[in-house]
Amino acid sequence: RRRTKMSLVGAAPPEMVQALDTALNLWVAQKSLEHTRQGKSLESLAKFRARMEEQLDGELRNIDKTCADIQVEQQRLEQRLEEVRQQNNKARDHVQRAKRELAGVEEK
């Protein structure tokens, strides 16, 4: 940097203007390139985000369906458990009745 500053010392005004114009054009080109790269990066990130949101929505739908299926299965199992309990109670009542009848027969 010092060398650049030193080279302008004693330069004619047109040479100074040309050097400043070149420096300004280089700076503008550099900033333009940075802006373009940043825009592409943002565009890429936006696309990635959209894909991720789409995948997550799909996964959430699958999870919701699985939960609904599990709830249906739980209700079915609870109903089956109640049926088995009722059958068990009937069988227990039948056994107790049979024991009473047997005890009555033995007493006679």
Side-chain angles (χ1 to χ4, degrees):
R1 291 188 99 174
R2 188 173 275 251
R3 182 199 247 168
T4 305
K5 287 180 184 178
M6 297 301 283
S7 65
L8 291 177
V9 172
E15 291 171 347
M16 290 179 74
V17 169
Q18 185 176 1
L20 291 173
D21 185 51
T22 301
L24 182 61
N25 286 337
L26 178 62
W27 181 83
V28 168
Q30 184 178 4
K31 291 300 174 184
S32 176
L33 179 63
E34 288 175 8
H35 179 71
T36 302
R37 285 183 180 167
Q38 187 178 27
K40 287 179 181 178
S41 177
L42 290 174
E43 183 179 319
S44 174
L45 287 173
K47 287 179 182 178
F48 176 75
R49 180 182 176 183
R51 283 193 314 271
M52 292 303 297
E53 286 176 351
E54 187 176 321
Q55 287 177 345
L56 289 174
D57 285 344
E59 289 298 320
L60 288 174
R61 282 190 298 274
N62 289 340
I63 289 170
D64 286 343
K65 184 184 180 320
T66 301
C67 285
D69 293 345
I70 289 171
Q71 286 176 342
V72 167
E73 180 67 9
Q74 181 180 2
Q75 288 174 351
R76 186 190 69 76
L77 290 172
E78 287 173 355
Q79 183 179 4
R80 179 67 182 131
L81 180 60
E82 186 58 34
E83 291 171 1
V84 169
R85 282 181 181 152
Q86 289 175 0
Q87 289 174 355
N88 190 21
N89 288 340
K90 286 180 183 179
R92 186 180 308 122
D93 290 345
H94 181 70
V95 168
Q96 287 176 353
R97 195 174 325 115
K99 283 182 180 179
R100 281 192 304 267
E101 289 175 4
L102 182 61
V105 169
E106 288 177 354
E107 288 179 8
K108 290 184 184 182

